[in-house]
Amino acid sequence: MDAFKLMKELRVNYEQEAHYLPKETGLSLIESTTEDDSRISAKCRDAKVEDLWSLTSFFGYSTQTFVLAVNLLDRFLAMIRIQPKHLSCVSVSCLHMAAKVTEEECNLAPTGDLIRIGQCRFTVSDLCRMEKIVAEKLNFKSKAITALTFLHLYHQIALSHSTDRKEKLSLEKLEAQLKACLCRISFSKAKPSVLALSLLRQEIEGVRSEDMLEIAYHIQRHLKITDGELLLWSERVARCLSDYASPECSKPNHKKLQWIVSRRTAQNLHSYRVVPELPTIPEGCWDESESEDSCEDMMSSGEESLSSSLGSDAEGPFFPLHLRRQKHRQPLHA
Amino acid sequence: MMGDRPSPPSRAMSSAATTSPSVDKVDGFSRKSVRKAKQKRSQSSSQFRSQGKPIELTPLPLLKDVPAPEQPELFLKKLQQCCTVFDFMDTLSDLKMKEYKRSTLNELVDYVTVSRGYLTEQAYPEVVKMVSHNIFRTLPPSDSNEFDPEEDEPTLEASWPHLQLVYEFFIRFLESQEFQPSIAKKYIDQKFVLQLLELFDSEDPRERDYLKTVLHRIYGKFLGLRAFIRKQINNIFLRFVYETEHFNGVAELLEILGSIINGFALPLKAEHKQFLVKVLIPLHTVRSLSLFHAQLAYCIVQFLEKDPTLTEPVIRGLLKFWPKTCSQKEVMFLGELEEILDVIEPTQFVKIQEPLFKQISRCVSSPHFQVAERALYYWNNEYIMSLIEENSSVILPIMFASLYRISKEHWNPAIVALVYNVLKAFMEMNSTLFDELTATYKSDRQREKKKEKEREELWKKLEDLELKRGLRSDGIIPT
C-alpha cells in the first residue's frame, strides 16, 4: 500500500477510534477502588489480563486476539459493575469472542480446553451465556480499532518510507511492548493512536534513527496529536517498559495455580523421606589409628586420584588373624 | 513353637512353581498371578542334616532358682546347651527338646537384659560360639530362578523360632552395660564379621532386619573393625553391581551406611568420597533399584549435606546413568534428584544447571505420563523455583522448546494442564526473554513449515516429470 493510502487509512481510523474507547469514568472508578470483595480493583483487573496473556500465548493466539480481548473487557468493565468472582468468566468470554473474530476456525481452542487450562470454576454453558451478555452490552461491536491497529499502520508507513531500515524496527517487539502496557489498566485510558505513537517513538529513540523520528513527527502532525498528550503518555510508557525489562522478576504467583497430579505420582511423592531408624555412628578422627587391626593404610593409597580402585588385593578377606599381623609390617604397595 | 509352620514342608525344598499348566498361558504369556496363588509360602534351611538319632539335652535348673554366685557357671552351661542345632524342616523330630531350647533361649534373653555382674571373661567366647553355631550356615540357594524380589513372597527361614531368640540375645548382649569391647574383640573378629555379612543375603526379611541391628552395634563398638567392615561392604556392592546383580541385603546395608555417613567427620576423607563415586553412584544402575532406592537416596543426600562440593560429581553421575528404557526407574531418579535439589547450594546449582535442565527438558517431553508429571512437579517446589528464578535466563531457553511443543502435542490432558502452570511461571519470571523465545520459536516453526511445503512441491514436480517422461517414451507408465 502506498504512503498516501496509508495516511488516509490512518485518518479514517483516527476518527473512528473514540467509538471503541472504554468509558473513562468507569475506568477511573476501577482504579480508585481498594481491594474489596464486592468491586473490581485495578489490581485484580491487571492480574486477570496477565492470565489472559498466558492463555493467549499458550493457545498460540495472535497478539491481535489479545489486544481485542482486553479492549472488550475494559469496555465492559467500564460500563457494568460486576463482582470479582465473575471476573474470570467475563475475561475468558472476551478472549473467546476475540478469538472467534481474529483466529481461523481450525485454530480456535474449544471452550472446554480454555476452562480446563485456565483452571476456571465455571462451566461451558456459563461461558456461552456470559458471551451473549457481553456482546449485547457492547452493542455487538466485536471488532474494534485498537492500539495494535495503529501500530501496524505506523509500522507500514515507516517501512514504506525507508526500506533499508526494515530490520531495525521490529513489529514483534512493539507488539510485545504494547502487551506489557495493556496489562496495566491506566493505559486503557489512552487513545489508541496516541499510545501506539508513544510506543513507536520509544522504540525509535532506542534505535536512534533520525529518519524514523521525522516520520513519527509527520504522523503526529497528520493526526493533530498535541505534544502535551504525547509527552504524557510517552513518559508513562517509558516507565512501564523499564519495569518490564528489568532483571528483577516479579515473583510468580504459583500458589494460586493448582498442581493436580495422578494418584500414583502423588503416592510416590513423599515416600522418599526415609526416617532413619538407626542412630548415627559418629566417626572419630582417632578411629583407625587406635587399633592394630586397621586396614586403613590400604585405602589411603588412592588419596585424590579417583582412578585407583577400591578393595585392593593387598589382603584377602579370609586372611587368618595371626598371619595378617605379620604381613602388616611389610611395606604396602599402592 | 509347633504352630508357627503354616504348611508341612516337603523334604524336597522347592515348592515354587516350575511348570505352569497350559491353561495359564494367555496370549503366550503365563499368568503370574495364577502361578502365585498356587505357590505356598515356602521355607527352607540348609542348616541341618539329620543325624538319625534323637538329641538329648539334660534339663538345667532355671537361673532365677539358683543362688547368685552359681549363676555365671549355669549361664555358661546353658550357652553350651544352646549350641545344639535342631532340624526344623522335619516338623516331628525332637519336639520336646526344641521346646526346651526355645525356653532356655528365652530365659537367656531376659537374663542378659536385667542382670548385673554375670558377664565374666569366660562368658564371651561361649556367647560368640553359641551365636556362631546357630546363625552361621550356608544359605540355601534360591528356590526359583525367576524369583522376583518385588513380586514373589520370600522364602522364610524354617528355624526362625530359635533363630530369632539367638539374634535377640546377641543384640542385648552387645548393648548390655557390662559389655566390654576390649574383651569381646578377641572373639568378634574379622572372620566373624565376614560370616555375618554373608548372612545379609538371606531371603528372610526378619533375619536381615536383625542382622542390620547387630552389624550396626558392632560397627559402633568395635573401632578396629570399622575399616574392615566398610571395605567388605564395598566388595559386596561392587560384586553386586558388576557381577551378579543378586544380593538380598542391599537395603539393610545401605541403612547402616546411612547412619555411618551421617556421622562422618569433616573434612571428608578421600576414602569416603571414592566410595560415593565408585560404589554408591553405580548402584543406581542395577535393575532391582526399587528395592533399596529410598535408602540409597538417603545416603546420597547425607553425603551432600556433609560436603556440598560433591554435588557436581553426584549429579553428573546420575545424569550419566540416567535410565533410558525403564520409566519406573526414571521416576525414581526424578524423586532422588528433587531431594538433592532440596538441599543444594545456589553456587553448586549454577555449575550443573545446564546439563541438569537438558535432562529435565527431555523428561518433561516423555510420552510416559508419569515421568512427565513427576518432572513438571518440580515447579511446585518453592526452593527449586527460587533457584530457577535466579537463573531463568539460562534455564528458560533450555526448557522452552519442549514445553511449548508438548503444550500442543502431548496426548495426556493432565500433562498439558501442568505445562501451562510451568509456562505461566516462566512468563512471569522473565517476560522479555519469554517473548523473545516465543518469537524465535514461532519464526522457526514457520520456516520449517515453509521448508516442508517446498519439499512436498519438489516431490510433486518430480513425480509429474517422471510421469511425463514415462508417457513420452513408450506410453507405458513406469511403476
Side-chain angles (χ1 to χ4, degrees), chain A residues 31 38 67 91 103 236:
Chain A
E31 273 183 306
S38 60
V67 174
S91 55
E103 303 287 336
R236 290 184 183 171

Side-chain angles (χ1 to χ4, degrees), chain A residues 177 180-181 184 187 235-245:
Chain A
Q177 289 172 338
C181 291
R184 303 198 187 178
F187 289 98
E235 271 175 16
R236 290 184 183 171
V237 163
R239 256 205 311 269
C240 173
L241 290 182
S242 75
D243 283 347
Y244 182 75

Side-chain angles (χ1 to χ4, degrees), chain B residues 1 84-86 88 97-103 105 134 158-167:
Chain B
M1 283 290 244
T84 319
V85 176
F86 293 89
F88 277 82
M97 288 295 109
K98 282 175 185 169
E99 175 49 32
Y100 171 68
K101 178 175 171 185
R102 194 204 62 79
S103 68
L105 282 170
N134 276 281
S159 53
W160 191 246
H162 285 178
L163 214 52
Q164 180 191 13
L165 292 169
V166 173
Y167 278 117

